[in-house]
Amino acid sequence: MTIIAENPIKSVAAPSQVQQKVIASLRKRHRKEKLFRSLGLGAVLISLALVALLFINIFAKGIPAFWQSAITLDIYFDPKIINIPQKPLQQADESDNDFRQRDLAWQNQVGFVNFNRLIADSLQKVLPDAAQHRRDLGRVVTSGERFALRDMVVADPSVIGQTHTLHLLTDANIDVWLKGNIDRSLPDNQQQLSPKMREWVQSLSEQGIIQNRFSLALFMNADSRSSLASAGLAGAFMGSFYMMLVVIVLAVPMGVAAAIYLEEFAPRNRLTDLVEVNINNLAAVPSIVFGLLGASVLIGWFNLPMSAPIVGGLVLSLMTLPTVIIATRSTLKAIPPSIRQAALGLGASKMQAIFHHVLPLAIPGILTGAILGVAQALGETAPLLLIGMKSFVASVPASPFDQATALPVQIYLWQGNELRNFFEARTSAAIIVLLMMMISLNGIAIWLRKKYEKRW
């Protein structure tokens, strides 16, 4: 007998009312999760786009400022113009002080030489009609270049009577005009250069006598108001360097030591809780308050020099100290308690357990927090304005006690300069230098963290 097996169609039961509610709830939750992920991704992309836009804008304006127009001239150090005695030499029976006085007197004589005439004579060789336009002739080269010629004579008097090919910076208005930052279609009464000057510059540029060259003056010179094209960042850079040196020497060791004591050795009582609360509050105090403290206490009471890196460094140290303490304490808390317990169980003292076992594991986090605190202090401006570091300083500081400015303050000063079409690009260039310093500090923090990182 043949048996035929039938395949009945299995009916799927409809979900119950409870199951339908669960399915609807899951769908709603999944939609919310997708929406949240989309919003989060969108926020990240918008943030990156805004940061990229900021960097593109800064670099687009700042990169051209690293190149500056310079004119190539054959400068003849005419002995008739440089009519000075020979450079003094120290005699065998002469004291150092007497020789220094004679040398300074000789340098003063060199300073009275009309080096502008040397430049004008060289310009007349490349500008045949320059004799009829002496007023415009003196504006081709920036006024600060005469000091470069003076320094050459002071360093080596044997250049007198010789001809040297030099690259001299042109005036700031010429640099702006060549870079196209001035509308050339404007009438003559609205132009910063006279018609004859524009004719000369165009001719010299076509001949290759005036060219854009990498601006060493931006890094080697201090700020200048009489010779704008010669203004540089050397003074501000050294001022920031000395301040960061003070911060590293004072704030970092004191902050780390205070954090170790509070986290590992201090008793838990009301006094300790009060100190911890005040440290957290100090980390949130506006930086300008620390500037007021420095102006009233460090300068007013202790009579420290105004506009000096030592005062700026002390103010920034006070501002950075809470950050270093909080970062160090957070790192120490992250070390597993088993490390301490194991060291104590093997007979180590509490001091040995902390300094021989806990701190080596905490070094990466401590270094990262310290360097990030220093990087934050590097970019501060408000407290420095209140202690006088916005003053114009035309020299490079030789010590933390000399008058100086700082990179953020220099950016602030250049941003307000009346020659906007020249200093706008220079301001962006200074911002690039400051950003590179901060990025370098952050890179050092990451490298140190990777170098000293240990697995628990």
Side-chain angles (χ1 to χ4, degrees):
M1 182 176 61
T2 304
I3 300 175
I4 299 174
E6 296 181 358
N7 295 326
I9 298 174
K10 297 181 179 179
S11 60
V12 179
S16 64
Q17 188 176 2
V18 175
Q19 291 176 332
Q20 290 177 356
K21 290 182 178 180
V22 172
I23 293 173
S25 176
L26 287 174
R27 288 176 179 173
K28 184 177 180 181
R29 189 179 69 182
H30 291 161
R31 284 196 301 269
K32 289 183 178 181
E33 289 178 354
K34 290 181 180 179
L35 178 62
F36 179 77
R37 287 198 298 267
S38 300
L39 291 175
L41 180 60
V44 172
L45 293 178
I46 291 174
S47 302
L48 292 177
L50 292 176
V51 172
L53 182 63
L54 174 64
F55 274 81
I56 290 173
N57 184 41
I58 292 175
F59 276 81
K61 291 181 179 180
I63 291 298
F66 289 102
W67 281 262
Q68 197 168 348
S69 61
I71 182 170
T72 303
L73 293 176
D74 293 328
I75 302 294
Y76 174 59
F77 292 84
D78 193 346
K80 296 180 181 179
I81 299 176
I82 313 176
N83 187 15
I84 57 174
Q86 291 185 349
K87 186 175 183 178
L89 298 176
Q90 187 172 8
Q91 304 298 325
D93 57 345
E94 187 178 21
S95 66
D96 292 339
N97 185 53
D98 292 340
F99 171 71
R100 190 180 301 108
Q101 295 297 326
R102 289 200 305 121
D103 187 62
L104 289 176
W106 178 79
Q107 292 186 30
N108 288 333
Q109 289 182 305
V110 177
F112 285 110
V113 174
N114 187 6
F115 288 100
N116 285 330
R117 186 176 171 185
L118 300 180
I119 299 175
D121 292 343
S122 299
L123 284 172
Q124 287 185 4
K125 297 177 183 178
V126 296
L127 298 171
D129 59 341
Q132 293 80 21
H133 303 274
R134 297 287 296 185
R135 183 177 180 181
D136 289 331
L137 191 63
R139 299 177 180 174
V140 175
V141 177
T142 187
S143 60
E145 290 296 58
R146 68 178 185 270
F147 299 113
L149 301 184
R150 180 202 63 187
D151 294 340
M152 288 182 62
V153 174
V154 170
D156 184 13
S158 64
V159 300
I160 300 175
Q162 300 179 3
T163 300
H164 289 265
T165 301
L166 303 177
H167 305 295
L168 305 179
L169 294 176
T170 61
D171 187 75
N173 290 322
I174 294 177
D175 182 76
V176 171
W177 192 80
L178 287 173
K179 290 178 178 178
N181 295 336
I182 298 178
D183 187 1
R184 301 189 180 188
S185 63
L186 293 174
D188 290 343
N189 59 353
Q190 297 182 14
Q191 291 284 351
Q192 293 172 303
L193 298 178
S194 65
K196 176 54 67 175
M197 180 72 75
R198 298 200 300 271
E199 178 185 340
W200 285 347
V201 172
Q202 186 65 31
S203 174
L204 295 175
S205 178
E206 292 174 354
Q207 298 176 44
I209 298 176
I210 292 182
Q211 294 180 341
N212 269 343
R213 297 180 177 274
F214 186 77
S215 179
L216 293 177
L218 183 64
F219 301 95
M220 303 299 294
N221 294 352
D223 195 12
S224 175
R225 289 181 178 174
S226 60
S227 178
L228 299 181
S230 302
L233 296 171
F237 181 86
M238 290 305 299
S240 292
F241 172 77
Y242 284 132
M243 285 193 299
M244 293 306 102
L245 192 62
V246 173
V247 172
I248 292 173
V249 171
L250 293 180
V252 175
M254 291 176 61
V256 172
I260 293 174
Y261 173 77
L262 290 174
E263 188 63 30
E264 303 292 345
F265 297 100
R268 302 303 177 195
N269 51 35
R270 291 184 178 180
L271 179 60
T272 306
D273 295 339
L274 180 63
V275 171
E276 293 179 0
V277 170
N278 286 328
I279 290 174
N280 293 329
N281 290 334
L282 284 174
V285 170
S287 59
I288 195 169
V289 176
F290 292 97
L292 292 171
L293 177 66
S296 61
V297 176
L298 299 178
I299 296 177
W301 290 1
F302 293 99
N303 294 322
L304 290 178
M306 181 175 286
S307 186
I310 183 64
V311 179
L314 291 173
V315 170
L316 295 179
S317 296
L318 293 174
M319 190 191 70
T320 307
L321 196 60
T323 303
V324 176
I325 293 175
I326 293 173
T328 303
R329 292 193 65 186
S330 299
T331 304
L332 293 174
K333 287 180 181 179
I335 304 298
S338 58
I339 301 294
R340 301 172 179 83
Q341 296 169 2
L344 294 174
L346 292 175
S349 64
K350 189 171 184 179
M351 184 75 73
Q352 291 174 331
I354 299 302
F355 286 93
H356 294 175
H357 300 277
V358 176
L359 276 184
L361 296 176
I363 282 179
I366 293 174
L367 290 176
T368 302
I371 294 177
L372 292 180
V374 172
Q376 179 187 3
L378 178 62
E380 284 294 335
T381 307
L384 304 181
L385 297 177
L386 294 178
I387 61 173
M389 297 198 74
K390 66 177 180 179
S391 303
F392 172 73
V393 180
S395 59
V396 180
S399 72
F401 295 91
D402 296 335
Q403 286 190 334
T405 184
L407 281 174
V409 180
Q410 189 66 68
I411 294 170
Y412 168 79
L413 294 174
W414 280 359
Q415 181 63 26
N417 193 283
E418 58 183 8
L419 190 58
R420 293 289 306 123
N421 48 13
F422 178 75
F423 276 99
E424 184 177 8
R426 229 166 176 77
T427 301
S428 298
I431 293 174
I432 292 174
V433 173
L434 180 60
L435 286 175
M436 291 300 103
M437 291 181 65
M438 297 180 70
I439 292 174
S440 300
L441 288 174
N442 291 330
I444 292 174
I446 295 173
W447 178 76
L448 290 174
R449 186 180 185 89
K450 296 294 183 181
K451 180 178 177 63
Y452 293 103
E453 190 173 17
K454 296 181 181 180
R455 296 292 179 183
W456 297 336

